[in-house]
Amino acid sequence: MFTTMLTWMRSIVAYLNKHRRRSKILLFSVWSMFLLGLTYLIINCFKPFIFSFNEKHEYITKPGRHIAFILQIVLYMVATIYMFYIARKSSSIERIRYRAVGFTCLVMDLFLVLQIFDPRYPSYATGLIIGICVIHSFVESGERKQKEIYDNIARSLAENYDVIYYVDAENSNYTSYECRNIYGDLDMQKSGSDFFADSRVDISNIVNKSDMELVLAFVNKDHLISSLTNKRSCSLDYRVSAFKKTHYVRMTVRKTMDTSHFIFGIENIDDEVKKEKQHLKALNTEKELARRDELTGIKNKTAYTELEKSVQDNIDSGMDYLSFALVVCDTNNLKKINDTQGHVAGDEYIKKSAMLLCNTFVHSPVFRVGGDEFVVFLRGSDYLNREVLMKKLRAHVRKNLKSKSGPILASGISDFNTESDRKVSQIFDRADKDMYNNKRALKKEESQLQPN
């Protein structure tokens, strides 16, 4: 009976998973009573005061037997009161646990009393059986349901990972699990004594060389302890080489609630990376289209404004910006063409003007900043050959003027002067002024070509 009492109380404390001071006192009391019971039995062998047997081998109770029963009754009664007291302050799930255990202790008490009055009937054993049934019916069914919930949560989370490592934070022992199907069922693959040492070997074998140092630094015990001090998880994306292909994977590391273990989750993110690249490509295409002139296909005013701001920021910050020049152009006679030949002809005239500039300044971006206005940002070889290219452009325009075919473009140019220029607008204004001078010259030349 004392052995049953000891194991029963130990199982209750372990089952409730509580390590409070009262639980320790309860266990201490049970152990004390168990040792006291053993002492009683030893003494009883020499001087029977609990029980004895007569000549017919019949069991004879002694007054000391009542002391043992009373001690047990008191203990179970204290346990009953303690369980019902805690149940009042507990949540719904824990309340069921405490009430079930308290009711079991109460049943044990009642059957112990019956055992005192009728030692021939196995009342104590009956009470123990009923108590076990109560635990099974009221508690384990709830535990099973709760376990099913946790299992479903674990499976759902496991679906995201290809491999999960459960690593002891103290000694680095580990077990790996592989998710083998879409339902997230885990299959244990291997275990080892030093996760971090084994990981270094695996990393050197399968991780892309460009990412190897980054991954080695991440899968470091001291680094992970530091990283997870103030946050719940940390992760790293990297590439691995397998089956002659490169795959993108993500390693996510968490600590268990009791901080005793690391949980490493490895997932394949190839599809995610592919979608992200497609999204960025579409986004870049959308941005590029937003910076393109629909009619001519060259860059528009938005693109020029962004370029101007970027150049201005560099000038403002004192950077030695690369040499460049601005060419400002304006088409002549566009209004006349629109009025006499229609807007379709006018649009073709603008397209040919843009094409002429692109064919002349091959290595520089061309912008349409207005209905008939263009700007060319000369750089690189075009900047070095700017005088030759400007002569080529103006010669082509005069040829068009004389043949009365092709676009007539007035043009002006101005270089960036690192000593005096503080604003991009200063360079633009000089080029614009030069363009108007060229426009007047072209108008004059055009009037001279008109028949009297």
Short mmCIF file of all heavy atoms in Angstrom, two decimals, residues 137-183:
data_model
loop_
_atom_site.label_atom_id
_atom_site.label_comp_id
_atom_site.label_asym_id
_atom_site.label_seq_id
_atom_site.Cartn_x
_atom_site.Cartn_y
_atom_site.Cartn_z
N SER A 137 -10.43 8.29 -18.10
CA SER A 137 -11.65 8.77 -18.76
C SER A 137 -11.72 10.29 -18.84
O SER A 137 -12.12 10.85 -19.86
CB SER A 137 -12.88 8.23 -18.03
OG SER A 137 -12.87 8.65 -16.68
N PHE A 138 -11.33 10.97 -17.75
CA PHE A 138 -11.50 12.42 -17.71
C PHE A 138 -10.27 13.19 -18.20
O PHE A 138 -10.39 14.31 -18.64
CB PHE A 138 -11.82 12.88 -16.28
CG PHE A 138 -13.22 12.57 -15.86
CD1 PHE A 138 -13.51 11.40 -15.19
CD2 PHE A 138 -14.26 13.44 -16.17
CE1 PHE A 138 -14.81 11.10 -14.82
CE2 PHE A 138 -15.56 13.15 -15.80
CZ PHE A 138 -15.84 11.98 -15.12
N VAL A 139 -9.11 12.59 -18.07
CA VAL A 139 -7.89 13.33 -18.37
C VAL A 139 -7.22 12.86 -19.65
O VAL A 139 -6.93 13.65 -20.54
CB VAL A 139 -6.89 13.24 -17.19
CG1 VAL A 139 -5.62 14.01 -17.51
CG2 VAL A 139 -7.53 13.80 -15.93
N GLU A 140 -7.01 11.57 -19.77
CA GLU A 140 -6.25 11.11 -20.93
C GLU A 140 -6.99 11.36 -22.23
O GLU A 140 -6.37 11.56 -23.28
CB GLU A 140 -5.91 9.62 -20.78
CG GLU A 140 -4.84 9.38 -19.73
CD GLU A 140 -4.17 8.04 -19.93
OE1 GLU A 140 -4.52 7.33 -20.89
OE2 GLU A 140 -3.31 7.69 -19.11
N SER A 141 -8.33 11.35 -22.20
CA SER A 141 -9.07 11.67 -23.42
C SER A 141 -8.80 13.11 -23.84
O SER A 141 -8.62 13.42 -25.02
CB SER A 141 -10.57 11.45 -23.19
OG SER A 141 -11.03 12.27 -22.13
N GLY A 142 -8.79 14.00 -22.82
CA GLY A 142 -8.46 15.39 -23.10
C GLY A 142 -7.02 15.55 -23.57
O GLY A 142 -6.73 16.32 -24.47
N GLU A 143 -6.12 14.75 -22.93
CA GLU A 143 -4.72 14.80 -23.33
C GLU A 143 -4.55 14.31 -24.77
O GLU A 143 -3.76 14.86 -25.54
CB GLU A 143 -3.87 13.92 -22.40
CG GLU A 143 -3.78 14.44 -20.99
CD GLU A 143 -3.02 15.75 -20.92
OE1 GLU A 143 -1.91 15.83 -21.47
OE2 GLU A 143 -3.54 16.69 -20.34
N ARG A 144 -5.30 13.28 -25.11
CA ARG A 144 -5.21 12.74 -26.47
C ARG A 144 -5.66 13.79 -27.50
O ARG A 144 -5.06 13.96 -28.54
CB ARG A 144 -6.06 11.47 -26.58
CG ARG A 144 -5.82 10.70 -27.87
CD ARG A 144 -6.64 9.43 -27.91
NE ARG A 144 -6.28 8.52 -26.83
CZ ARG A 144 -7.06 8.24 -25.80
NH1 ARG A 144 -8.25 8.83 -25.69
NH2 ARG A 144 -6.69 7.39 -24.86
N LYS A 145 -6.76 14.48 -27.15
CA LYS A 145 -7.26 15.53 -28.04
C LYS A 145 -6.24 16.66 -28.18
O LYS A 145 -5.99 17.17 -29.27
CB LYS A 145 -8.58 16.07 -27.51
CG LYS A 145 -9.26 17.07 -28.43
CD LYS A 145 -10.58 17.55 -27.85
CE LYS A 145 -11.58 16.42 -27.78
NZ LYS A 145 -12.91 16.90 -27.31
N GLN A 146 -5.63 17.03 -27.04
CA GLN A 146 -4.62 18.09 -27.07
C GLN A 146 -3.41 17.65 -27.87
O GLN A 146 -2.82 18.42 -28.63
CB GLN A 146 -4.20 18.45 -25.64
CG GLN A 146 -3.35 19.71 -25.54
CD GLN A 146 -3.12 20.12 -24.12
OE1 GLN A 146 -3.48 19.41 -23.20
NE2 GLN A 146 -2.53 21.27 -23.94
N LYS A 147 -3.03 16.38 -27.72
CA LYS A 147 -1.89 15.84 -28.47
C LYS A 147 -2.19 15.86 -29.97
O LYS A 147 -1.32 16.16 -30.79
CB LYS A 147 -1.58 14.42 -28.01
CG LYS A 147 -0.35 13.81 -28.69
CD LYS A 147 -0.06 12.44 -28.14
CE LYS A 147 1.18 11.84 -28.78
NZ LYS A 147 1.06 11.70 -30.22
N GLU A 148 -3.44 15.53 -30.34
CA GLU A 148 -3.82 15.58 -31.75
C GLU A 148 -3.69 17.00 -32.30
O GLU A 148 -3.24 17.20 -33.44
CB GLU A 148 -5.26 15.08 -31.91
CG GLU A 148 -5.42 13.59 -31.71
CD GLU A 148 -6.88 13.16 -31.79
OE1 GLU A 148 -7.74 14.06 -32.01
OE2 GLU A 148 -7.15 11.96 -31.64
N ILE A 149 -4.08 17.99 -31.48
CA ILE A 149 -3.94 19.39 -31.91
C ILE A 149 -2.48 19.73 -32.14
O ILE A 149 -2.10 20.30 -33.17
CB ILE A 149 -4.56 20.33 -30.86
CG1 ILE A 149 -6.08 20.12 -30.78
CG2 ILE A 149 -4.24 21.79 -31.19
CD1 ILE A 149 -6.76 20.87 -29.65
N TYR A 150 -1.62 19.34 -31.16
CA TYR A 150 -0.20 19.62 -31.29
C TYR A 150 0.40 18.89 -32.49
O TYR A 150 1.26 19.42 -33.20
CB TYR A 150 0.54 19.23 -30.01
CG TYR A 150 0.28 20.15 -28.84
CD1 TYR A 150 0.25 19.66 -27.54
CD2 TYR A 150 0.05 21.50 -29.04
CE1 TYR A 150 0.00 20.50 -26.47
CE2 TYR A 150 -0.20 22.34 -27.97
CZ TYR A 150 -0.22 21.85 -26.69
OH TYR A 150 -0.46 22.68 -25.63
N ASP A 151 -0.05 17.65 -32.72
CA ASP A 151 0.46 16.88 -33.86
C ASP A 151 0.08 17.57 -35.17
O ASP A 151 0.89 17.64 -36.10
CB ASP A 151 -0.10 15.46 -33.84
CG ASP A 151 0.58 14.59 -32.79
OD1 ASP A 151 1.64 15.00 -32.29
OD2 ASP A 151 0.04 13.51 -32.47
N ASN A 152 -1.18 18.04 -35.24
CA ASN A 152 -1.61 18.73 -36.46
C ASN A 152 -0.82 20.01 -36.69
O ASN A 152 -0.45 20.34 -37.82
CB ASN A 152 -3.10 19.05 -36.38
CG ASN A 152 -3.98 17.82 -36.51
OD1 ASN A 152 -3.57 16.84 -37.14
ND2 ASN A 152 -5.14 17.84 -35.91
N ILE A 153 -0.55 20.75 -35.59
CA ILE A 153 0.26 21.96 -35.71
C ILE A 153 1.66 21.61 -36.18
O ILE A 153 2.23 22.25 -37.09
CB ILE A 153 0.31 22.71 -34.36
CG1 ILE A 153 -1.08 23.26 -34.01
CG2 ILE A 153 1.32 23.85 -34.42
CD1 ILE A 153 -1.17 23.86 -32.63
N ALA A 154 2.25 20.57 -35.57
CA ALA A 154 3.61 20.16 -35.93
C ALA A 154 3.68 19.71 -37.39
O ALA A 154 4.61 20.06 -38.12
CB ALA A 154 4.07 19.03 -35.02
N ARG A 155 2.67 18.97 -37.84
CA ARG A 155 2.66 18.52 -39.24
C ARG A 155 2.53 19.69 -40.20
O ARG A 155 3.17 19.73 -41.24
CB ARG A 155 1.51 17.54 -39.45
CG ARG A 155 1.74 16.18 -38.81
CD ARG A 155 0.57 15.25 -39.07
NE ARG A 155 0.80 13.93 -38.51
CZ ARG A 155 -0.05 12.92 -38.62
NH1 ARG A 155 -1.19 13.09 -39.27
NH2 ARG A 155 0.23 11.75 -38.08
N SER A 156 1.66 20.64 -39.84
CA SER A 156 1.47 21.81 -40.71
C SER A 156 2.77 22.60 -40.83
O SER A 156 3.13 23.06 -41.92
CB SER A 156 0.36 22.70 -40.15
OG SER A 156 -0.86 22.01 -40.13
N LEU A 157 3.46 22.77 -39.70
CA LEU A 157 4.74 23.48 -39.73
C LEU A 157 5.79 22.68 -40.48
O LEU A 157 6.62 23.25 -41.20
CB LEU A 157 5.21 23.77 -38.31
CG LEU A 157 4.35 24.75 -37.49
CD1 LEU A 157 4.86 24.84 -36.07
CD2 LEU A 157 4.35 26.13 -38.15
N ALA A 158 5.76 21.37 -40.33
CA ALA A 158 6.77 20.52 -40.97
C ALA A 158 6.63 20.51 -42.49
O ALA A 158 7.60 20.26 -43.20
CB ALA A 158 6.65 19.09 -40.44
N GLU A 159 5.43 20.81 -42.99
CA GLU A 159 5.22 20.84 -44.44
C GLU A 159 6.15 21.84 -45.12
O GLU A 159 6.50 21.70 -46.28
CB GLU A 159 3.77 21.21 -44.76
CG GLU A 159 2.79 20.10 -44.57
CD GLU A 159 1.39 20.52 -45.01
OE1 GLU A 159 1.28 21.19 -46.04
OE2 GLU A 159 0.44 20.20 -44.30
N ASN A 160 6.54 22.90 -44.38
CA ASN A 160 7.36 23.95 -44.98
C ASN A 160 8.81 23.56 -45.13
O ASN A 160 9.56 24.24 -45.83
CB ASN A 160 7.28 25.22 -44.11
CG ASN A 160 5.87 25.77 -44.04
OD1 ASN A 160 5.12 25.67 -45.00
ND2 ASN A 160 5.50 26.33 -42.91
N TYR A 161 9.23 22.48 -44.45
CA TYR A 161 10.65 22.15 -44.40
C TYR A 161 10.93 20.81 -45.05
O TYR A 161 10.12 19.90 -45.02
CB TYR A 161 11.14 22.14 -42.96
CG TYR A 161 10.99 23.48 -42.27
CD1 TYR A 161 9.98 23.70 -41.33
CD2 TYR A 161 11.82 24.53 -42.59
CE1 TYR A 161 9.83 24.93 -40.72
CE2 TYR A 161 11.68 25.77 -41.99
CZ TYR A 161 10.69 25.96 -41.05
OH TYR A 161 10.54 27.19 -40.46
N ASP A 162 12.13 20.70 -45.61
CA ASP A 162 12.58 19.44 -46.17
C ASP A 162 13.31 18.61 -45.11
O ASP A 162 13.20 17.40 -45.09
CB ASP A 162 13.51 19.70 -47.36
CG ASP A 162 12.82 20.48 -48.46
OD1 ASP A 162 11.88 19.93 -49.04
OD2 ASP A 162 13.21 21.63 -48.72
N VAL A 163 14.06 19.31 -44.26
CA VAL A 163 14.80 18.64 -43.19
C VAL A 163 14.68 19.48 -41.92
O VAL A 163 14.72 20.72 -41.99
CB VAL A 163 16.29 18.45 -43.55
CG1 VAL A 163 17.01 17.69 -42.43
CG2 VAL A 163 16.46 17.71 -44.85
N ILE A 164 14.52 18.83 -40.78
CA ILE A 164 14.49 19.51 -39.48
C ILE A 164 15.53 18.86 -38.58
O ILE A 164 15.60 17.63 -38.49
CB ILE A 164 13.09 19.41 -38.84
CG1 ILE A 164 12.07 20.17 -39.70
CG2 ILE A 164 13.11 19.99 -37.43
CD1 ILE A 164 10.64 20.04 -39.19
N TYR A 165 16.33 19.70 -37.93
CA TYR A 165 17.32 19.21 -36.97
C TYR A 165 16.92 19.66 -35.56
O TYR A 165 16.61 20.84 -35.35
CB TYR A 165 18.71 19.77 -37.29
CG TYR A 165 19.29 19.27 -38.59
CD1 TYR A 165 19.09 19.97 -39.78
CD2 TYR A 165 20.04 18.10 -38.64
CE1 TYR A 165 19.61 19.53 -40.98
CE2 TYR A 165 20.57 17.64 -39.84
CZ TYR A 165 20.35 18.35 -41.00
OH TYR A 165 20.88 17.92 -42.19
N TYR A 166 16.98 18.72 -34.62
CA TYR A 166 16.69 19.00 -33.22
C TYR A 166 18.00 18.86 -32.47
O TYR A 166 18.52 17.76 -32.30
CB TYR A 166 15.63 18.02 -32.71
CG TYR A 166 15.07 18.36 -31.35
CD1 TYR A 166 14.28 19.49 -31.17
CD2 TYR A 166 15.31 17.52 -30.25
CE1 TYR A 166 13.74 19.79 -29.92
CE2 TYR A 166 14.77 17.81 -29.01
CZ TYR A 166 13.99 18.95 -28.85
OH TYR A 166 13.46 19.25 -27.63
N VAL A 167 18.54 19.99 -32.02
CA VAL A 167 19.92 20.03 -31.52
C VAL A 167 19.94 20.44 -30.06
O VAL A 167 19.34 21.45 -29.68
CB VAL A 167 20.78 21.03 -32.35
CG1 VAL A 167 22.23 20.99 -31.89
CG2 VAL A 167 20.68 20.71 -33.84
N ASP A 168 20.65 19.66 -29.25
CA ASP A 168 20.82 20.00 -27.84
C ASP A 168 21.72 21.22 -27.72
O ASP A 168 22.85 21.23 -28.22
CB ASP A 168 21.44 18.82 -27.10
CG ASP A 168 21.38 18.98 -25.58
OD1 ASP A 168 21.93 19.99 -25.08
OD2 ASP A 168 20.80 18.12 -24.90
N ALA A 169 21.23 22.27 -27.08
CA ALA A 169 21.98 23.53 -27.00
C ALA A 169 23.22 23.41 -26.12
O ALA A 169 24.16 24.20 -26.26
CB ALA A 169 21.08 24.64 -26.47
N GLU A 170 23.23 22.40 -25.24
CA GLU A 170 24.36 22.28 -24.32
C GLU A 170 25.48 21.41 -24.88
O GLU A 170 26.64 21.83 -24.94
CB GLU A 170 23.88 21.72 -22.98
CG GLU A 170 24.97 21.64 -21.93
CD GLU A 170 24.46 21.18 -20.58
OE1 GLU A 170 23.22 21.14 -20.40
OE2 GLU A 170 25.30 20.86 -19.71
N ASN A 171 25.14 20.19 -25.31
CA ASN A 171 26.19 19.27 -25.76
C ASN A 171 26.22 19.04 -27.26
O ASN A 171 27.03 18.25 -27.75
CB ASN A 171 26.06 17.93 -25.02
CG ASN A 171 24.70 17.29 -25.24
OD1 ASN A 171 24.07 17.45 -26.28
ND2 ASN A 171 24.21 16.56 -24.23
N SER A 172 25.31 19.67 -28.02
CA SER A 172 25.27 19.61 -29.50
C SER A 172 24.83 18.27 -30.05
O SER A 172 24.97 18.03 -31.26
CB SER A 172 26.63 20.00 -30.10
OG SER A 172 27.00 21.30 -29.71
N ASN A 173 24.32 17.36 -29.21
CA ASN A 173 23.71 16.13 -29.75
C ASN A 173 22.52 16.51 -30.62
O ASN A 173 21.82 17.49 -30.34
CB ASN A 173 23.23 15.23 -28.61
CG ASN A 173 24.39 14.60 -27.86
OD1 ASN A 173 25.50 14.53 -28.36
ND2 ASN A 173 24.13 14.16 -26.63
N TYR A 174 22.28 15.74 -31.66
CA TYR A 174 21.19 16.11 -32.56
C TYR A 174 20.53 14.91 -33.18
O TYR A 174 21.09 13.80 -33.24
CB TYR A 174 21.70 17.04 -33.66
CG TYR A 174 22.56 16.35 -34.71
CD1 TYR A 174 22.01 15.89 -35.91
CD2 TYR A 174 23.92 16.17 -34.51
CE1 TYR A 174 22.80 15.26 -36.87
CE2 TYR A 174 24.72 15.56 -35.46
CZ TYR A 174 24.15 15.10 -36.63
OH TYR A 174 24.94 14.48 -37.58
N THR A 175 19.31 15.16 -33.64
CA THR A 175 18.56 14.19 -34.43
C THR A 175 17.98 14.93 -35.61
O THR A 175 17.48 16.05 -35.47
CB THR A 175 17.41 13.56 -33.60
OG1 THR A 175 17.95 12.98 -32.42
CG2 THR A 175 16.69 12.49 -34.41
N SER A 176 18.06 14.33 -36.79
CA SER A 176 17.50 14.98 -37.98
C SER A 176 16.25 14.24 -38.43
O SER A 176 16.15 13.02 -38.30
CB SER A 176 18.52 15.00 -39.12
OG SER A 176 18.75 13.70 -39.63
N TYR A 177 15.29 15.00 -38.94
CA TYR A 177 14.04 14.45 -39.44
C TYR A 177 13.82 14.96 -40.86
O TYR A 177 14.08 16.13 -41.15
CB TYR A 177 12.86 14.89 -38.56
CG TYR A 177 12.99 14.47 -37.12
CD1 TYR A 177 13.65 15.28 -36.21
CD2 TYR A 177 12.46 13.26 -36.68
CE1 TYR A 177 13.78 14.90 -34.88
CE2 TYR A 177 12.58 12.87 -35.35
CZ TYR A 177 13.25 13.70 -34.45
OH TYR A 177 13.37 13.31 -33.15
N GLU A 178 13.33 14.10 -41.71
CA GLU A 178 13.05 14.48 -43.08
C GLU A 178 11.56 14.42 -43.33
O GLU A 178 10.90 13.43 -42.98
CB GLU A 178 13.77 13.57 -44.07
CG GLU A 178 13.56 13.98 -45.52
CD GLU A 178 14.41 13.16 -46.48
OE1 GLU A 178 15.43 12.60 -46.05
OE2 GLU A 178 14.05 13.09 -47.66
N CYS A 179 11.01 15.49 -43.91
CA CYS A 179 9.60 15.51 -44.25
C CYS A 179 9.43 14.81 -45.59
O CYS A 179 9.89 15.30 -46.63
CB CYS A 179 9.10 16.95 -44.32
SG CYS A 179 7.33 17.05 -44.62
N ARG A 180 8.74 13.68 -45.59
CA ARG A 180 8.71 12.83 -46.77
C ARG A 180 7.47 12.98 -47.64
O ARG A 180 7.39 12.44 -48.72
CB ARG A 180 8.85 11.35 -46.37
CG ARG A 180 10.24 11.01 -45.87
CD ARG A 180 10.39 9.51 -45.70
NE ARG A 180 11.77 9.15 -45.45
CZ ARG A 180 12.67 8.93 -46.40
NH1 ARG A 180 12.34 9.09 -47.64
NH2 ARG A 180 13.89 8.59 -46.10
N ASN A 181 6.43 13.66 -47.15
CA ASN A 181 5.24 13.76 -47.98
C ASN A 181 4.53 15.08 -47.73
O ASN A 181 4.91 15.87 -46.87
CB ASN A 181 4.29 12.58 -47.72
CG ASN A 181 3.88 12.49 -46.26
OD1 ASN A 181 3.45 13.49 -45.68
ND2 ASN A 181 4.02 11.31 -45.66
N ILE A 182 3.47 15.31 -48.49
CA ILE A 182 2.77 16.59 -48.44
C ILE A 182 2.01 16.78 -47.14
O ILE A 182 1.57 17.87 -46.83
CB ILE A 182 1.79 16.73 -49.63
CG1 ILE A 182 0.72 15.63 -49.57
CG2 ILE A 182 2.51 16.71 -50.93
CD1 ILE A 182 -0.37 15.81 -50.60
N TYR A 183 1.86 15.70 -46.35
CA TYR A 183 1.12 15.82 -45.11
C TYR A 183 2.01 16.21 -43.94
O TYR A 183 1.55 16.36 -42.82
CB TYR A 183 0.41 14.50 -44.78
CG TYR A 183 -0.54 14.09 -45.86
CD1 TYR A 183 -0.25 13.03 -46.70
CD2 TYR A 183 -1.75 14.77 -46.05
CE1 TYR A 183 -1.13 12.66 -47.71
CE2 TYR A 183 -2.63 14.40 -47.04
CZ TYR A 183 -2.31 13.35 -47.87
OH TYR A 183 -3.17 12.98 -48.87
#
